[in-house]
Amino acid sequence: MILEKKSLQYILMLVAASAVFMDYLDTSIVSIALPAITADFGIGSAVSAWVMTGYLLALSSMLLVFGKLADRTGRYREIFITGFVLFTLASFLCGISSSILMLILCRVFQGASAALMVSTATMLVMLHLPEEKKGLAAGMLATLGAAALAFGPGLGGIIAEYLSWHWIFFINIPIGIIGIIGALFVIPKAERVLQEKKPFDIKGAFLLAATLLVFLAGLEIGNSYGWSLPVIILLAAAPVLGFLFLRHEMKHADPVLPANILQNKIVICAAVSCLFITIVYLGSIYILPFYLTGPLGFGSALAGIIMLIPPVTMMLMGVPAGTLTNSFGCKKLCNISAIIGISASLFLAAAVLMQNPVLLFAGLILLGATLGINEGPTIRRITIHCTEDTQGSAGSLTYTVMNVGSVVGIAAYSVVASAASGSADIFTPGGIAVSCIFGAFCAVLSYVISRIAKDSCRA
C-alpha cells in the first residue's frame, strides 16, 4: 500500500530513519562513556569493551534472520514496532544495570532488538512510498545515521560527565516512545501474510549467525588482545561455517538468504562494493586519531572536534545523494563515491607523511563524502533489484555489510599500521600513511566491483 498523503510519507521516513538513528547512536555514544563505566564497576577496559562488542555482535548476526522473517510472514509492521518496544525496554534495563554482567547481557538484548528495527526500516519506506520519494527516503536513513555518528560521542561525553553513564541509555526512552506512537499511526497493516506454511530455516539461521559471530568475534579479540593461535583458529572457522551455510541455503526450500539474492550479481556486487567503502571509512576514522594525538600532539578534545569533519560531511551529503538516485542513477553515484574514496585515502596518506593540515582537512571532507554519497544509493540499488517479497532480506543485507565492514576496517587498518610501524604499541606516521594507502586499494576494489554489476535500470 502506497501512502498518498505527503505528510504521512514524511512521517514514515522519519519513523524509519529514527530506527537507524537510534542504532547508530547507541553504537557511537557508548564509546566515550566506557572509561566511566570501567571506573564505576571497578573492572578492566578489556571487559568493558564488551559493552560495545556484545551489541555489535548481536546486531550483525541477527539482521538477516529478522529480515527473512519479515519477508516470510509479511508482518514487517509488527516486527518493526516490536523492535522499537524491545529496544526501548532494553535501553531502560541498560540504564539501571547494577553489574557489568547485567549491562553486557542487556546490551546483547539491545543489539538484537535493534536488528528487529533496522532489518525492516528500509523495507517500510520501499513498500509504502511512491517511486519518486524512495531515493529521498534512502538518503534520510543515511543522513540521520551519520548525524548519530557525528554527535553521539560528544553527547555521550557531556552526559557521562554532568549526569552519569546511565543516562546515555535513558535518553533512548523518549525517542523510543515517540517512534512507537509514530509507527502505530503511520505504518499500514500488512496486506500480505504467509499463505503456505513452510518450516523456518533454523539450521540456516544458526549457520549464518555462527559464521558472523565467529568472524567478527575473532577480529574484535585479535585487534584487542593480539593475533594468537586461538584467534587464528577462530577466524579460520568462519569460512568453513560460511561454506556450510551457502551449501545449505542452495538446497533449502525457503532459505534465510533467498536464492534470488544470492544469485543476483548486481545485488552481491553492490553489497561487496559497499563493504569496501565502509572499510575505508571506519578504518580511517579509527586510525587517524592516533596521528592527531601522537605525532601532532593534539589534545583529545581538539582531535575529537577535527574527527567530526567526516560524519558531518556524510550527514550533509546523505539527502542530496539519495535524491539524485532518481535522475543520476545509483550505480554512477556508487562509482563516484569509490573514486572520491581513492582520493580521500591518498590525500590522507600524503597529509600524514607531509604533516600538511590543508591536505588533512581536504582528506577528511572527502572521506565523509565517500560514505555519504555511497550509503543512500547503495540501499536503493540493492532494494530496487530485489523482488517485493525479499525487501526485508535486501535491507538487512545492506546494514549487515556495513556492520561487518566497520569491524573489518578497524582490524585491517590496525594490522596494516602495526606491520608498517614495526610495533603494535605505537603507530608511526609511516605506518598510518601505509594504512591509508591500503584504504585507497580498498576503494579501487569497490570501484571495480561496482562497475562489474551491470545494473538493469537507471535508478
Side-chain angles (χ1 to χ4, degrees):
M1 174 183 174
I2 301 298
L3 295 175
E4 299 295 337
K5 290 185 178 180
K6 288 186 177 181
S7 59
L8 294 182
Q9 292 172 5
Y10 287 112
I11 293 173
L12 179 63
M13 290 184 206
L14 287 173
V15 168
S18 66
V20 178
F21 175 84
M22 291 176 73
D23 168 36
Y24 280 45
L25 182 67
D26 270 64
T27 300
S28 63
I29 197 173
V30 172
S31 60
I32 201 71
L34 286 180
I37 293 172
T38 300
D40 195 12
F41 288 125
I43 55 174
S45 58
V47 176
S48 65
W50 284 94
V51 174
M52 283 194 66
T53 303
Y55 177 89
L56 290 172
L57 291 180
L59 172 67
S60 301
S61 60
M62 298 306 295
L63 275 168
L64 284 167
V65 175
F66 289 141
K68 173 60 182 179
L69 185 63
D71 287 334
R72 189 174 187 269
T73 63
R75 302 293 186 183
Y76 44 84
R77 180 178 186 267
E78 290 82 355
I79 292 173
F80 182 82
I81 293 172
T82 299
F84 243 121
V85 172
L86 294 180
F87 187 91
T88 305
L89 173 62
S91 298
F92 173 74
L93 293 175
C94 286
I96 65 171
S97 292
S98 56
S99 70
I100 188 62
L101 178 60
M102 179 181 176
L103 179 57
I104 292 173
L105 290 177
C106 289
R107 282 286 283 173
V108 171
F109 175 38
Q110 193 183 37
S113 303
L116 281 164
M117 296 189 304
V118 175
S119 63
T120 46
T122 302
M123 186 180 191
L124 290 174
V125 296
M126 294 303 163
L127 291 180
H128 296 305
L129 292 180
E131 198 66 33
E132 67 272 12
K133 292 290 178 64
K134 291 179 180 179
L136 173 62
M140 189 174 291
L141 293 177
T143 297
L144 284 189
L149 289 177
F151 302 115
L155 180 61
I158 293 170
I159 291 173
E161 182 170 349
Y162 294 105
L163 294 173
S164 74
W165 64 263
H166 302 270
W167 283 92
I168 67 174
F169 300 110
F170 289 148
I171 63 169
N172 288 329
I173 295 174
I175 301 174
I177 292 172
I178 294 171
I180 293 165
I181 295 172
L184 288 169
F185 171 71
V186 76
I187 302 174
K189 292 184 178 180
E191 297 176 342
R192 176 178 61 85
V193 296
L194 180 64
Q195 299 295 330
E196 181 182 355
K197 291 187 177 181
K198 298 178 182 179
F200 187 74
D201 186 11
I202 296 176
K203 183 178 179 180
F206 171 78
L207 287 171
L208 173 62
T211 301
L212 291 171
L213 280 171
V214 166
F215 179 61
L216 296 177
L219 289 176
E220 288 279 359
I221 295 170
N223 196 45
S224 299
Y225 302 103
W227 305 96
S228 60
L229 181 60
V231 173
I232 301 301
I233 293 173
L234 198 63
L235 290 173
V240 176
L241 290 169
F243 171 77
L244 294 175
F245 167 71
L246 291 174
R247 188 176 69 173
H248 171 77
E249 292 297 277
M250 292 301 182
K251 296 178 180 179
H252 199 275
D254 191 25
V256 172
L257 199 56
N260 59 356
I261 289 181
L262 280 173
Q263 298 172 355
N264 189 321
K265 186 178 77 170
I266 297 172
V267 170
I268 297 302
C269 285
V272 175
S273 177
C274 180
L275 173 70
F276 282 110
I277 288 296
T278 309
I279 289 173
V280 173
Y281 181 85
L282 265 297
S284 301
I285 291 293
Y286 166 77
I287 205 72
L288 288 172
F290 290 98
Y291 170 68
L292 297 175
T293 58
L296 291 188
F298 292 164
S300 297
L302 179 57
I305 292 172
I306 292 173
M307 291 308 298
L308 280 174
I309 294 173
V312 169
T313 305
M314 179 184 166
M315 180 180 67
L316 294 174
M317 297 298 297
V319 169
T323 305
L324 285 172
T325 58
N326 293 323
S327 57
F328 205 60
C330 299
K331 180 180 178 179
K332 284 185 178 180
L333 290 169
C334 291
N335 294 346
I336 289 170
S337 75
I339 294 171
I340 295 174
I342 298 169
S343 302
S345 298
L346 294 177
F347 268 61
L348 291 172
V352 171
L353 291 174
M354 300 168 62
Q355 294 194 1
N356 188 310
V358 175
L359 291 176
L360 177 64
F361 280 92
L364 290 172
I365 291 171
L366 290 173
L367 181 66
T370 299
L371 191 57
I373 293 174
N374 185 275
E375 186 174 351
T378 294
I379 293 171
R380 184 82 178 100
R381 189 181 187 186
I382 288 176
T383 54
I384 202 172
H385 288 98
C386 290
T387 56
E388 183 174 315
D389 62 342
T390 59
Q391 289 294 303
S393 297
S396 301
L397 178 63
T398 306
Y399 290 107
T400 300
V401 162
M402 295 187 72
N403 275 282
V404 171
S406 299
V407 180
V408 172
I410 292 170
Y413 271 63
S414 177
V415 169
V416 172
S418 296
S421 300
S423 170
D425 299 322
I426 299 176
F427 295 144
T428 64
I432 294 172
V434 171
S435 70
C436 292
I437 293 171
F438 166 77
F441 174 71
C442 290
V444 170
L445 290 177
S446 175
Y447 176 79
V448 171
I449 294 169
S450 179
R451 288 292 300 269
I452 289 173
K454 296 181 179 179
D455 295 30
S456 57
C457 55
R458 180 178 176 80

